[in-house]
Amino acid sequence: MKKQVSPLGFLAVMSMFLISMGVTVTTPAMAIIAAQFPENNYALVSTLPTLFVVPASLVCGSILGKQLKYRICGIAGSVIFLFGGILPAFTTSWTVVLVGRAILGLGLGILSPLGNALVLGLYDGQKQAKYLGYGTLLMNAGGIVYQMLGGALAGISWQAVFYGHLFGAVGLIMAFFIPEPDVPQVEAVAEGPAKKEKMSPAVYVIAILFCVYNILNYPVMMNLSLMYEVKNAGGAAAAATSLSMFTVFGCIAGFMFGTVFSILKRFTISVGFFMCAVGAFLVYSGTTALVMTIGLCMVGFAFSLLMPAGLGLVGILTPPSTVAIGTSVVMALMNLGGFISTYWLQLVDKVMGNVLYNTILIEVIVFAALGLVFLVYNPYPKQKQ
C-alpha cells in the first residue's frame, strides 16, 4: 500500500515535470544568437545541455532516495538550473555562454528523473498511469511556456532570452514540499545478508528505444522550417505554428493517457510507434502546411503515449529499489539521443545525401518496424495487463 500524498505534495511532484523542458527557452531565439556569434557553432546552445544531462542524471538516479532525499535533489537541481540558465544573460563571451549551458544541463540532469521516479514511487495502478500522463502533459505545457518566454524576450536582446529560465523558480519553491516515497525494503536471505536487488536489463532496452527515437526525430524538428520553405508550404512562420500544434497534441495525449492505456493496454506502445510512422510519412510526403501539420500532431500525440508507457514499464519490470536509477537511465539516454542526432545528420548526408528527406524516410521505416515488433511482442508481464 502506497503512502497518502497531500494535494500540495501532488502539486510539488507535478512541478518537476513543468520545468523539465527549460532547454527550449532558446529555441525561438536561435537566429539572433547565431547572428551574435557568427564564427561559432550556435547549435551547441541547444545541444550542449543535453550532453551534460546524461552524467548528472545517472549519478543522481543511483543515489536518489537512498543517500540523497528527493526533496534535497529537487532543491539542488533547481538552484543549479537557475544559475546556469541565467548566467549567459550577464556576458558577451561565447565561452561563458557554453559554461552556463553546461551548468544548466547538470541541473536538468538532476531534475529529469525526479518527476517520473516520484510518480512510480508514490502511486500504483491506474492512478500511476494517469499521473504519468499528466506529467507528460505538464512537460509539454512547460515547453510551451518556455518557448513563449524565449520568443518574447528575444525582442529585447539575445541576452534577455536567458532570463526566461527564471520560470524554473516555480520548481525551486515547490521542491520544498516534495513528499518522500517509502524506501523499498529488501528481504534478507536466511542466515545471510540482505540480497541487493539488480535493475532489470529491460530498462536498457527501453532507454535505447527512447535514444533511437530522439536520434531520428530531433533532426526533423530542427530542420522543419527549411522543409516548409523547400515545399513552399509557408516557411518559418508556418513551421512555428506546426511545432506549436505538435506540443499541444502532446498535452492532449498526456491528459488522455490513463484512459487510452486502459483501452489499448499492451498495444499502447505498438499504436504509438505506428502513429509516429504515419505522422512522419505525412511530413515527408505532404505538400501543404495543413497535411504536414496533421503529421506533426500525430507524432506529438504518439510520443506522449510512448513516454509514460515506457516509464510505466520501468516501474513494472524492475525492482522498486532500482526504479529511480532505471528512470535516470531512460532519461539520460533519451537526452543523449538528442546530442547524437547532430552526428546522425552528418552520417546520412555523407552516405545517402538529400539529408532533409532521407532522415524522415528512415524515421518512417524504423518506427513502422518497431510498431510491428510490439504488435507481436508483449513487454508486459501477464499479471500486470
Side-chain angles (χ1 to χ4, degrees), residues 31-313:
I32 64 169
I33 293 174
Q36 180 66 29
F37 301 102
E39 297 181 0
N40 301 104
N41 183 3
Y42 70 91
L44 286 172
V45 172
S46 178
T47 59
L48 188 63
T50 63
L51 180 63
F52 280 83
V53 164
V54 176
S57 182
L58 291 174
V59 171
C60 180
S62 65
I63 59 176
L64 192 56
K66 300 169 187 174
Q67 295 96 327
L68 184 67
K69 289 185 176 296
Y70 287 77
R71 187 177 296 115
I72 298 300
C73 190
I75 294 169
S78 298
V79 169
I80 295 170
F81 169 89
L82 286 169
F83 176 73
I86 65 174
L87 179 61
F90 300 96
T91 185
T92 57
S93 166
W94 175 246
T95 301
V96 177
V97 169
L98 293 186
V99 169
R101 299 306 282 173
I103 294 172
L104 174 78
L106 293 174
L108 281 173
I110 295 172
L111 294 171
S112 63
L114 265 185
N116 293 299
L118 282 165
V119 170
L120 294 173
L122 292 168
Y123 305 99
D124 52 18
Q126 186 64 21
K127 186 174 286 188
Q128 183 186 95
K130 182 170 70 173
Y131 290 165
L132 283 171
Y134 285 177
T136 305
L137 183 158
L138 286 169
M139 183 177 70
N140 283 288
I144 293 173
V145 172
Y146 277 121
Q147 291 186 57
M148 289 177 63
L149 286 171
L153 292 169
I156 301 173
S157 71
W158 73 269
Q159 290 167 308
V161 170
F162 295 93
Y163 286 117
H165 294 100
L166 288 172
F167 180 65
V170 173
L172 176 59
I173 295 168
M174 295 305 297
F176 287 92
F177 305 101
I178 290 176
E180 295 291 330
D182 293 326
V183 178
Q185 298 296 316
V186 181
E187 294 183 6
V189 179
E191 298 182 1
K195 184 179 179 181
K196 185 178 180 180
E197 292 180 322
K198 294 183 179 180
M199 186 175 69
S200 169
V203 172
Y204 294 104
V205 177
I206 297 168
I208 290 170
L209 285 175
F210 279 112
C211 181
V212 169
Y213 178 93
N214 254 7
I215 290 173
L216 296 178
N217 196 59
Y218 212 80
V220 177
M221 309 302 283
M222 285 194 297
N223 290 328
L224 194 67
S225 59
L226 180 58
M227 174 161 284
Y228 270 59
E229 289 180 7
V230 169
K231 293 187 175 186
N232 294 316
T241 301
S242 295
L243 285 171
S244 298
M245 294 306 296
F246 169 92
T247 308
V248 167
F249 272 76
C251 290
I252 294 171
F255 180 75
M256 295 176 58
F257 176 75
T259 301
V260 172
F261 184 77
S262 67
I263 297 170
L264 296 178
K265 294 184 173 65
R266 59 152 292 206
F267 295 108
T268 303
I269 295 177
S270 177
V271 169
F273 277 121
F274 277 132
M275 191 177 291
C276 275
V278 173
F281 181 75
L282 290 177
V283 175
Y284 172 81
S285 61
T287 56
T288 65
L290 177 60
V291 173
M292 295 169 73
T293 300
I294 291 172
L296 281 169
C297 289
M298 292 182 69
V299 176
F301 190 94
F303 176 70
S304 292
L305 292 183
L306 291 169
M307 184 79 176
L311 290 166
L313 263 178

Side-chain angles (χ1 to χ4, degrees), residues 297-375:
C297 289
M298 292 182 69
V299 176
F301 190 94
F303 176 70
S304 292
L305 292 183
L306 291 169
M307 184 79 176
L311 290 166
L313 263 178
V314 172
I316 291 171
L317 297 176
T318 200
S321 63
T322 65
V323 164
I325 181 60
T327 304
S328 299
V329 168
V330 172
M331 300 305 293
L333 263 70
M334 186 172 75
N335 279 280
L336 183 61
F339 184 78
I340 294 173
S341 66
T342 302
Y343 303 99
W344 167 246
L345 273 171
Q346 295 175 358
L347 178 64
V348 173
D349 188 33
K350 186 175 182 179
V351 174
M352 302 176 67
N354 197 0
V355 68
L356 199 61
Y357 282 93
N358 283 329
T359 50
I360 304 182
L361 184 59
I362 294 171
E363 181 181 21
V364 171
I365 294 169
V366 172
F367 286 164
L370 287 171
L372 285 172
V373 169
F374 284 100
L375 186 64

